[in-house]
Amino acid sequence: MNKTRSATLALVVSALGVVFGDIGTSPLYSMQSIFALDHGLVETTRDNIYGVVSTIFWALLVIVTIKYVALILRADNGGEGGTLALTALVERSLSSSARRWRLIALMLGAIAASLFYGDSVITPAISVMSAIEGIGVVNPSLEHLVVPLGVAIIVVLFSAQRFGTGTVGRAFGPIMVLWFSILALLGIAQIAQHPGVLFALSPHFALKFILGEPAIAFVAFGSIVLAVTGAEALYADMGHFGKSPIRRAWIFMVFPSLVLNYLGQAALLINTPEAKSNPFFLMAPSWAQLPLVLTATVATVIASQAVISGAFSVSKQAQNLGLLPRLTIRQTSSVERGQIYIPVINWLLFVGVVALLLIFRSSERLATAYGLAVTGTFLMSTCLFLIYARIVRHWAVWKLVLAAVAFGTFEILFFTANAVKLFHGGWIPLTIAIVIVFLMITWRQGMRMLFNRRREITEDWDRFFERVREQRITVLPGTAVYLHLNPDTPPMALETNIRFNKMIHERVIVLSILTTSWPRVSEDQRITVDRESADPNIWWVTARFGFFEFPNLQSIIPGMKEAGLTISEKPYFFTSKMSLVQGESREMSPWRKRIFFFLYRNQAQPLGYFKLPPKRTMAFDSQLTL
């Protein structure tokens, strides 16, 4: 029992370090953003302060505690979470005839994933800037160092990604335990000076604020949403820690600490309205402000790391679900499969984050660009969950309506309030999301066109076998594995070998790689062998991998043998790559074709992606008009 409790506690602490970094650093800038706005619409009156902190409390309770912790964490796809995992779960649960609903689920998942990228660019920028700005509170003469220090931290953070986060990750949990303890203590110290602020937990003050001053409340909602940013990480990281540790960490530490800190900032603003310039750091006594700045900086780096790691995971899932081309993915840990590094994603995020730092130059200005992507993700996840609840959980209609009203009310208010920011920076994450959705749609449509065109111009197996019998073919010893997407037609590399080299190996395996809607596939279900062939030496094999797995083809050789195949220990692998040429087809516009051609040409090559042995792999090139 003691060992079990220790293991559970370790998972809870680890979850604090990875899952809650983003939402845990929101107190740094949320209240400041609400009351320190340039136009000064939300004045620091007692009613406004109580109304704001009451709204924050109920948003945390409804969106995070009820929606994510209590409900959405139940929607696990083989133990994994995240909007794309939920998309795969919904797709798998729908019948093959429900093509419309499958398409809707896929589009919702693609939009949510795209919005996450927009969030991934802004979160590191606003988190790091909000922490570094604390040096201006300690010593105003150092304010000119805020932007250079922020850029330096971002450079170090993104440069370190290629080394992996395993070693640093073990330290994240204890640091975040310290951070949440500090949040709670700072809040309690201020609440003690104005205990009446506890009454703000009543929904009465939130309703009074919203209904009494709807215009002011609408403006405030654009920044109140900052208090719940990072909520989607609870679901996305479920596969790393499990439901129970995440729920316990939230209920027993994160939620109470956040609420106490927001109440403390409210108490400070009631007693000292001028503290609105930076209420978080001004809660601390002057002697503790510099250590608090250093601790906050570390906490924001952890929050940024969690978002960057999340972007890597989302990219891998999107690729395996056919929404993105093959990416070069490096495993940075031999123990934790979730620790990966994707160079192209890393450096694209880096460029975006540094650009935002240099353009906006303060967390207050960055807050104007923040929120639209987050609220859009909330809405997409709610829609997906309602589809899941109806189709998989068979919820009654009244339950669906109740959930839609409870979550939708907050999320639609948040989204519309942030839509006002569209021309003040909100267009940045939205533009990123639109571009990524466009690339996803272009990639899927282009691959479908390529697949159909390849099938049109390729002879079927009957004609292939007939040509093999007609020609004098040299049979080579050993096993040849041909990678091929469509088992209905012969692989291009095999055709090329027959047509030009007049050779074939004594055993040929036509291997199709499929990515399933499950996160992982058990070994006994990985290999499927079809023995029905006009040539007893040609075998059609399907290898299935989950969307969380890495397709290492050399590792499936034992599974092929167990399935009854006679295969040499060191088989030869054959792949093919097509050079795409602009054709007359009008299914896709010429400029979109050029984009698809660029993506196809620059995707990760099979040799590295499938971990093929270089000395036993041959790639054939051909040309295809599309």
Side-chain angles (χ1 to χ4, degrees), residues 310-330:
F312 293 160
S313 296
V314 167
S315 300
K316 184 174 184 296
Q317 291 182 53
Q319 168 207 270
N320 288 343
L321 290 175
L323 296 173
L324 290 175
R326 285 195 305 264
L327 301 167
T328 299
I329 301 175
R330 299 176 188 170

Side-chain angles (χ1 to χ4, degrees), residues 479-549:
T479 304
V481 178
Y482 289 85
L483 275 62
H484 192 44
L485 286 175
N486 184 9
D488 296 331
T489 58
M492 186 188 70
L494 179 58
E495 282 187 300
T496 304
N497 253 342
I498 296 295
R499 182 179 291 115
F500 297 104
N501 300 327
K502 311 296 183 185
M503 54 159 282
I504 191 171
H505 285 77
E506 60 182 348
R507 286 183 298 277
V508 172
I509 294 175
V510 180
L511 180 63
S512 297
I513 310 297
L514 295 183
T515 301
T516 70
S517 58
W518 288 96
R520 293 179 179 84
V521 174
S522 60
E523 290 302 324
D524 61 336
Q525 296 181 335
R526 190 173 304 283
I527 302 296
T528 302
V529 179
D530 187 348
R531 290 181 169 80
E532 297 179 6
S533 171
D535 188 326
N537 295 319
I538 295 180
W539 302 75
W540 296 326
V541 177
T542 300
R544 293 176 175 81
F545 291 89
F547 61 81
F548 260 61
E549 294 183 298

Side-chain angles (χ1 to χ4, degrees), residues 172-454:
F172 284 179
I175 291 173
M176 293 307 291
V177 170
L178 173 63
W179 173 250
F180 285 115
S181 301
I182 291 172
L183 291 184
L185 291 173
L186 289 173
I188 290 170
Q190 295 297 326
I191 293 170
Q193 299 180 42
H194 190 90
V197 76
L198 292 171
F199 288 111
L201 297 178
S202 168
H204 161 75
F205 291 98
L207 292 173
K208 181 181 177 183
F209 175 63
I210 296 169
L211 300 177
E213 298 285 352
I216 294 176
F218 185 76
V219 172
F221 259 82
S223 295
I224 289 173
V225 70
L226 301 178
V228 293
T229 57
E232 65 279 1
L234 278 72
Y235 182 42
D237 290 315
M238 179 172 61
H240 296 289
F241 305 101
K243 304 173 189 177
S244 180
I246 291 175
R247 284 174 171 160
R248 294 184 184 191
W250 172 257
I251 293 171
F252 295 112
M253 183 140 203
V254 180
F255 185 42
S257 298
L258 291 175
V259 172
L260 287 171
N261 193 267
Y262 285 121
L263 288 171
Q265 291 190 50
L268 173 66
L269 291 174
I270 289 171
N271 292 331
T272 314
E274 59 271 19
K276 68 180 183 178
S277 61
N278 203 321
F280 178 81
F281 286 107
L282 290 172
M283 279 198 297
S286 57
W287 60 266
Q289 287 175 352
L290 182 57
L292 183 59
V293 170
L294 297 175
T295 307
T297 301
V298 175
T300 56
V301 168
I302 292 172
S304 302
Q305 177 61 64
V307 172
I308 296 167
S309 299
F312 293 160
S313 296
V314 167
S315 300
K316 184 174 184 296
Q317 291 182 53
Q319 168 207 270
N320 288 343
L321 290 175
L323 296 173
L324 290 175
R326 285 195 305 264
L327 301 167
T328 299
I329 301 175
R330 299 176 188 170
Q331 185 77 38
T332 59
S333 171
S334 59
V335 179
E336 297 294 335
R337 295 188 62 83
Q339 291 184 18
I340 59 176
Y341 170 62
I342 305 179
V344 65
I345 300 297
N346 184 68
W347 295 114
L348 286 174
L349 288 178
F350 168 76
V351 171
V353 172
V354 171
L356 289 181
L357 281 177
L358 296 177
I359 292 170
F360 288 89
R361 306 184 72 82
S362 78
S363 62
E364 183 181 335
R365 294 191 188 97
L366 276 166
T368 62
Y370 204 26
L372 194 59
V374 176
T375 52
T377 303
F378 286 167
L379 284 170
M380 296 303 103
S381 64
T382 295
C383 293
L384 276 170
F385 177 75
L386 292 176
I387 296 173
Y388 162 82
R390 180 59 177 172
I391 293 172
V392 181
R393 294 291 184 177
H394 308 294
W395 275 21
V397 174
W398 69 268
K399 284 187 178 181
L400 295 173
V401 172
L402 181 62
V405 171
F407 307 142
T409 300
F410 267 110
E411 293 170 357
I412 291 173
L413 279 173
F414 283 148
F415 184 80
T416 52
N418 279 276
V420 177
K421 301 178 181 180
L422 186 63
F423 299 106
H424 299 280
W427 61 270
I428 295 174
L430 190 61
T431 301
I432 293 171
I434 290 172
V435 169
I436 293 173
V437 167
F438 167 76
L439 291 177
M440 288 179 173
I441 294 173
T442 299
W443 175 255
R444 282 183 66 89
Q445 184 179 355
M447 287 301 293
R448 185 175 65 250
M449 290 173 58
L450 188 152
F451 190 84
N452 292 338
R453 178 61 177 157
R454 177 82 175 87

